[in-house]
Structure formats: structure tokens, C-alpha cells
Amino acid sequence: MRPAAATLFGGSVFVVVVVGIILGGLAPIETAAGQTQTQTQTQNQSNASVEFVNQTTNGSDVTVESVTLPTSGFVVIDLSGAGVEGLLEEDAVAVSEQLSAGTHQNVTIPINQSPPGGVANRTSLNNTGNYEAIVYEDSNDNGRFDYLTSGTSLDKPLIVGSGAQERLVSDNARLTIRGSRGDPNATPTPSASIQFSDQQTDGSTVSVASVTLPQGGFVVVHSEQYLQPQNDPVTSAVGLSAYLSAGTHQNVTVALMNGSVQQPQTLVAIPSRDTNQNQTYDYVTSGGFQDVPYTDGEAITDQASVSRLEATTAVSTSNQSPSPSTTSTAAIERTDTTTDTNQTEQAADSDGNGGSGLSGVAWIVGIVLVIVIVGGGYLLIKLR
């Protein structure tokens, strides 16, 4: 028989060992669980990817070959440059619809789907070049890309790696836009041009001798405020043509705003695009983001000296004889005046107010009275 103390000690050892085993078993499980969670996060982080390949497009949309997201998010087409976070509003060109967690193939992104808060607002890409696809999370899962509108505090770009290996989940590709200057297979298209000659106007229209619009658009006429030093391309617009189809147009009539030409001045004619293809000129109402001028390094323009036609006509007619209609009217007025005068004189004669007709009758009556008196006197003498 074991001593009681030994038995107690042995029992204590047994309890300690059992508790130790239990605690020891729990500790590894907790550690493993923590390691599993970290590994899952790392695995999700590393699984985020995007594949953006070189492609030829008409410029209205682009295709992202493949994108994998650990949570819901977006793909943004950007102009910042490879591996650069798109902090500038003008660099964010277009954003995809919200994409759920997982892998998506052949994601089409319309170019006219501008990111909220961006200022590109274009319907198509016009330039062949390098573009970037960047993956962003939808941090508040509201289906709206809020990175720009939130001041970059929401829906941030996904990042993989750590330390020196940290990088954006992004990929860049060269996009060849059909018909653009950088397209090696593009059919050469005429460049935009305009010819605006000195002229006189009645204030309602001016005429542009010739304009070439490779992709259609408008002719816009600006006042001198467009030029230096004011350099105001928005509020200086005073005239607009109808929508013009692609090609060259001769003798284009441009309607002027009422009262825009009151004195001789220089006007500026500019061929402008229809960037949103709605055949309505939206440059002014969009604050200068839509329907921008055709450019060749800078806006293509031509200037002309324009004066009011009425002012010149008034000076020239002041030294000329009255027109036939004026002469006829004056002659009619003089004839009427003469006729009225003669009629007045005849009326005066008929009334005995100094007219020659009444004075003659008076003389005859007087002579007859004299004869009667004289004759009567003679007869009286003879009778006696």
C-alpha cells in the first residue's frame, strides 16, 4: 500500500499532467487558428490580380482579360503610368461595374463610364498609347466607386506584398485606337482646318469660307475675349453653326448672338468636335470638358475683321440723291399742296373777297347806273 502522501502527490502530479496536456493542447490550437487566419488574409491578398493585354479597339470600350478580387471591387482604366496610384482626377478615365469577390474573365469597361469625381468625361479614347488597369476595393460595399469623391479615403486600390515588395494590383497595356494617329494601319484622314475672311455683317450671321472637320462637329465663333490677354475660351463664344458632318464644308453660315457685333472687331472661328456624339454643342454648358476644339498641338483657329453693314450703308447713302420712291413721294406731296392752294384761291374769288371775278361785276353795274342816270337826265331836259 502506498502512503497517503505519496498517493496524494501522485494524484496531484496526475492532475497537473492532465491540466498541462489540456492547456498544452489548447495553446497549439489557438496558435494554429491565428496562423490560419493570417495565412487566409495573406492568401486573399496575394490572390488579387489583374491581367490587361495589348489590344486594338475603336476607343469606345476596352477589355480587361482577367481580374481576381478577394472582396467586391472595381477595375479603373487610368493614365497615371505603370504602378502609380491614380491620385489625379484627370487621370482616371473609366471604371467598371462593381465586381463580386472571385475571378472574372473578359471584363468590358465602357469609356463613357467615367469615375465619379473624375474630369475626363470622354465618350471614347482618341489616342493610341499605354494605359493601366488598377484594382480597387469597394470598402463600403455600396456598389459605387467612391475613391475620388471621398478624397481617397474610401475604396482604396488593392496592394500586394509588403515592405520593398509592396505594389498596386495593376497591369498596363498598349491600346491601339483604330483611326488614331498612332494606329499603324489607320487610313490617313485630313486634318482639321478653317478659313475665315474679313467681312461685313448685318449682325445676325457671319460666313466661314471653308472648314474641314475629320469627325464632324461645329464651327464656333468667339469674340476678342478669346485672345490674349483675356484668354477666355468659354464665355467668349458669340456664334455657332449647325452640326456639320465629317468632311469639308464651304460657305458655312454661323448664327451670331443678338448684339454681339456692334462695332468693327476681330472674331475667331474654331472647328470643334462633337465628343459626345449628340449633335449638340456642349462645350460651354460642360465648362469646357465636352466638344473641345480640333487641335494640332494647339487649337486650330482663324481670325477675321468683322464690322456692321448698317453703319457703312448709312454713310454712303447720305451723299446720294433721293431714291425714286422718295422723289415720287415728295412730288406727290408737292402736287397735293399746289392743288390745295389753287382751290383756296378760287374759293376766295367766288366769295368776293378780293377775287377778280367779283370786281368785274361791280364795274359793269357802276357803268350801267351812270348811263341810266345820264340818260334819264337828258330825257328830262328834252321834255321841258
Side-chain angles (χ1 to χ4, degrees), residues 59 122 124-128 131 177 179-182 215 273 275:
R122 62 186 72 187
S124 63
L125 299 175
N126 299 318
N127 298 318
T128 292
Y131 296 81
I177 312 303
S180 68
R181 183 172 298 179
Q215 298 172 340
R273 304 175 185 270
T275 56

Side-chain angles (χ1 to χ4, degrees), residues 193-195 208-213 218-219 244 247-250 252 271:
S193 63
I194 192 165
Q195 183 180 353
V208 172
S210 176
V211 61
T212 298
L213 304 162
F218 313 88
V219 174
L244 302 170
T248 298
H249 302 263
Q250 306 288 341
V252 176

Side-chain angles (χ1 to χ4, degrees), residues 217-237:
F218 313 88
V219 174
V220 187
V221 171
H222 291 257
S223 69
E224 293 175 332
Q225 303 298 315
Y226 180 88
L227 305 172
Q228 297 290 349
Q230 289 86 356
N231 195 26
D232 178 7
V234 178
T235 62
S236 63

